[in-house]
Amino acid sequence: MAGRFPEGFLWGAATASYQIEGSPLADRAGPSIWHRFSHTPGNVQEGHTGDVACDHYRRWREDIALMRELGLKAYRFSVAWPRVLPEGTGRVNEAGIMFYERLVDGLLEAGIEPMVTLYHWDLPAALQDRGGWANSEVIGWFTGYARSMFRRLGDRVRLWITLNEPWVTAHLGYATGVHAPGMRDIFAAFRAVHHQLLAHTEVVKAFKAEGKGEIGIAVNLGPQHPASSSDADREAAERWDAYLNRLFLDPLFFGKYPEPVVDRFGWALPEGWEREVEKVKESMDFVGVNYYTRSVLAHDPEDPFLSARSVRQDAPHTDMGWEVYPEGLYEILTWIRDRYWGPRIYITENGAAFPDKLENGRVEDPKRVDYLRKHFLQADQAVGDGVDLRGYMVWSLMDNFEWAFGYTKRFGLVYVDYSTQRRVVKESGRWYACIIEKGEV
Ligand code: IFM
């Protein structure tokens, strides 16, 4: 099977600020919730922090050269809000914003289209002290910050993403506490859902009033399959589907929260929410899809959360313990096409972690090549079946700080030797460069 992607298809790679930049407090930047969280013992594997990461804050020129070597057409990165506004609101920190201005100019000079994510999890710690995403004031804070970014970069950046994986922010950050800010409060998690939806919408409105280009959201999605044909397993899978896949997209397209989620948590929608959520409908230009795997679910009354447990399949898994399931990408893309009337889509993340080794100056990673090839083919099939797919950002450009796993998981097309900061293009990176050049899988 071979696939040809449309002319102008945006092949790229993605990263995020806290995961690669390092120097989190440089040039008067404020601390983020991830700075605080990673410096609290017990939160991140092996006590790793983002203090140095890939040192991209200082090596960004070298990293643009690497992107050129790979032939990337686009590069998705995020802005660290506390570099631009150390306290989260107020006056812009010139040195912080200049870093991103230089990065964007460098990308454009190299012929690489920047795709900018405004929020990829590094909230200014000062705003967490005021409740973070659980406080409705965050809508105004986020809009103010976004306006500053549009004003400074809007003349050069065409592609914008408001929030990365808002479900992860709410679920892992506020419900299970595995991510910053480390809260375990399901009601705070729902407030974080609601406020992210409203903040996203306000920012889209601000963009439409002033900006040129396209703006969307990046959501993490994956098929939720039942482990058997029993009604109980089917319902367990439906609950997860509503909670993971539809929690943001249903409000954004239909102006309504998915019923199974509301029912499950005995969640009487707070006063005014039903009315507010109606207004978040259909405001953006595209859906960004972050796809990694699927889940297979069985009903489990012991599970306190959604009465469901995930059943491991007899199939290859990545180093994250995630099943390799390329068909799921086709399933998700065509599901979006059918359920939400065929919106424009970018794959804003897809990739795999494997325990790569640097040997004799080379990194052979055939499993990643195989993973990517199979996913590209599924994407191609979806394009053939009418999905309006415009681009594909591989996660990740280079190995980086994988949140609670620290540096123990390697997702990069480029290997990073953290003891020297040497970068080595992996076999998968070379292979990807050939695909981009030919425009064919
Ligand atoms: O590293 C993360 C990224 O920050 C968000 N999406 C999933 C990736 C792999 O876990």
Side-chain angles (χ1 to χ4, degrees):
M1 186 161 73
R4 243 209 109 67
F5 285 81
E7 264 313 293
F9 191 78
L10 275 188
W11 290 106
T15 62
S17 42
Y18 192 76
Q19 293 182 274
I20 65 163
E21 287 177 356
S23 310
L25 303 180
D27 301 325
R28 295 177 303 286
S32 73
I33 52 172
W34 266 96
H35 180 70
R36 200 185 255 179
F37 188 76
S38 65
H39 279 267
T40 307
N43 285 338
V44 175
Q45 222 167 302
E46 298 182 27
H48 291 161
T49 72
D51 287 2
V52 178
C54 308
D55 198 23
H56 172 77
Y57 190 69
R58 298 190 309 155
R59 294 171 193 260
W60 58 273
R61 288 186 188 82
E62 186 190 330
D63 292 335
I64 292 179
L66 274 173
M67 296 177 213
R68 258 189 125 137
E69 203 178 318
L70 296 179
L72 299 189
K73 307 272 187 234
Y75 172 55
R76 174 180 175 226
F77 65 93
S78 75
V79 173
W81 182 349
R83 281 198 198 284
V84 176
L85 297 163
E87 298 287 317
T89 58
R91 264 198 34 226
V92 162
N93 174 28
E94 272 306 308
I97 206 155
M98 283 299 288
F99 168 69
Y100 296 107
E101 292 213 26
R102 281 195 285 260
L103 178 62
V104 164
D105 290 343
L107 289 167
L108 293 173
E109 264 165 44
I112 299 167
E113 168 118 47
M115 180 182 247
V116 176
T117 309
L118 290 166
Y119 185 71
H120 199 128
W121 308 349
D122 39 3
L123 189 80
L127 297 184
Q128 193 60 46
D129 296 338
R130 299 160 73 183
W133 288 103
N135 179 350
S136 62
E137 284 183 79
V138 73
I139 301 161
W141 303 333
F142 187 55
T143 312
Y145 153 62
R147 278 186 201 280
S148 306
M149 296 309 304
F150 297 152
R151 232 169 276 140
R152 295 293 291 266
L153 294 181
D155 56 339
R156 283 158 282 173
V157 174
R158 188 178 64 90
L159 298 172
W160 294 87
I161 291 174
T162 53
L163 303 168
N164 181 69
E165 301 182 1
W167 181 87
V168 172
T169 295
H171 182 71
L172 297 186
Y174 288 78
T176 67
V178 173
H179 277 191
M183 282 173 65
R184 291 187 190 153
D185 174 349
I186 189 71
F187 293 103
F190 282 127
R191 287 201 296 279
V193 169
H194 194 66
H195 299 147
Q196 286 186 91
L197 278 167
L198 300 181
H200 157 87
T201 305
E202 284 308 307
V203 168
V204 171
K205 273 198 228 151
F207 180 76
K208 299 268 155 179
E210 297 169 21
K212 298 184 292 286
E214 302 173 21
I215 191 160
I217 194 167
V219 281
N220 53 302
L221 305 172
Q224 306 297 300
H225 291 153
S228 79
S229 55
S230 75
D231 283 352
D233 288 355
R234 196 178 38 74
E235 282 163 20
E238 269 168 24
R239 284 195 293 280
W240 261 100
D241 178 58
Y243 184 57
L244 179 81
N245 293 325
R246 293 164 44 202
L247 189 57
F248 287 87
L249 290 184
D250 273 13
L252 290 172
F253 283 92
F254 306 146
K256 243 173 101 54
Y257 281 112
E259 258 139 44
V261 177
V262 179
D263 293 352
R264 172 71 203 170
F265 294 103
W267 180 32
L269 285 185
E271 178 72 29
W273 278 26
E274 220 159 325
R275 220 177 340 98
E276 283 170 357
V277 86
E278 267 176 29
K279 298 204 190 107
V280 309
K281 207 159 64 169
E282 283 177 68
S283 46
M284 59 194 176
D285 299 305
F286 65 85
V287 177
V289 172
N290 292 2
Y291 175 76
Y292 290 91
T293 190
R294 67 156 170 182
S295 297
V296 177
L297 294 148
H299 176 65
D300 180 0
E302 303 286 295
D303 170 56
F305 193 63
L306 283 174
S307 300
R309 100 189 114 80
S310 155
V311 180
R312 191 180 163 96
Q313 301 300 290
D314 184 15
H317 285 69
T318 69
D319 203 24
M320 296 296 283
W322 298 342
E323 182 189 349
V324 177
Y325 189 71
E327 301 86 335
L329 180 58
Y330 177 85
E331 197 176 321
I332 283 296
L333 293 174
T334 50
W335 171 79
I336 296 175
R337 177 199 63 195
D338 297 343
R339 186 172 175 84
Y340 303 115
W341 316 292
R344 187 179 308 161
I345 300 177
Y346 290 89
I347 294 171
T348 36
E349 286 182 27
N350 171 247
F354 290 108
D356 304 314
K357 296 257 175 322
L358 177 62
E359 277 162 347
N360 307 321
R362 295 176 63 88
V363 181
E364 308 283 341
D365 56 343
K367 288 189 180 159
R368 185 172 292 103
V369 172
D370 191 53
Y371 179 100
L372 291 175
R373 178 188 290 118
K374 288 181 171 145
H375 285 77
F376 290 176
L377 288 171
Q378 294 291 326
D380 170 63
Q381 201 176 324
V383 172
D385 290 343
V387 169
D388 186 6
L389 182 65
R390 304 293 178 99
Y392 202 123
M393 307 296 134
V394 171
W395 185 269
S396 176
L397 172 66
M398 56 188 153
D399 296 336
N400 59 49
F401 177 80
E402 179 52 26
W403 307 112
F405 295 94
Y407 298 97
T408 65
K409 308 289 177 204
R410 293 184 177 271
F411 274 93
L413 294 164
V414 175
Y415 183 91
V416 178
D417 178 343
Y418 295 110
S419 60
T420 60
Q421 288 296 340
R422 177 174 166 215
R423 278 93 159 116
V424 177
V425 178
K426 298 180 191 176
E427 183 196 334
S428 59
R430 294 186 200 292
W431 172 83
Y432 189 38
C434 293
I435 299 288
I436 298 176
E437 206 187 329
K438 286 189 295 180
E440 196 174 300
V441 188

